[in-house]
Amino acid sequence: VDKVAAADVSLLGVALGGADSGAKASVVTGKGVTLNTLVSGTNVGLGQMLATDANGYLVSTSTAGNAVAVALETGTATTGLKKVLTA
């Protein structure tokens, strides 16, 4: 996995299952899709804009241009599955 700066990361879609490098994967893309996906829970509140970090987790952001989803649940201190709405 290549690690890059958070500002260089953009969410293209959410894989429905694991896939090896070079293998095909089923991916959900688009706007207005409700998903249960990995969110780094720290400072994530209901309605919070979310962006991807360098590890591929969704994290809170205050920059609308970086937002790829909106939290539909309040996060906890640990990373876990949360409902989000893609933006």
Side-chain angles (χ1 to χ4, degrees), residues 1-81:
V1 174
D2 291 332
K3 305 286 177 159
V4 294
D8 296 333
V9 177
S10 180
L11 184 68
L12 297 175
V14 176
L16 297 178
D20 293 328
S21 178
K24 293 181 181 180
S26 295
V27 177
V28 173
T29 63
K31 295 182 177 188
V33 179
T34 302
L35 299 169
N36 204 24
T37 191
L38 280 176
V39 174
S40 179
T42 307
N43 300 324
V44 173
L46 180 65
Q48 176 73 45
M49 293 183 298
L50 303 171
T52 51
D53 70 4
N55 295 312
Y57 295 118
L58 293 176
V59 295
S60 63
T61 184
S62 59
T63 307
N66 292 342
V68 295
V70 176
L72 298 178
E73 294 181 313
T74 300
T76 61
T78 58
T79 299
L81 292 174

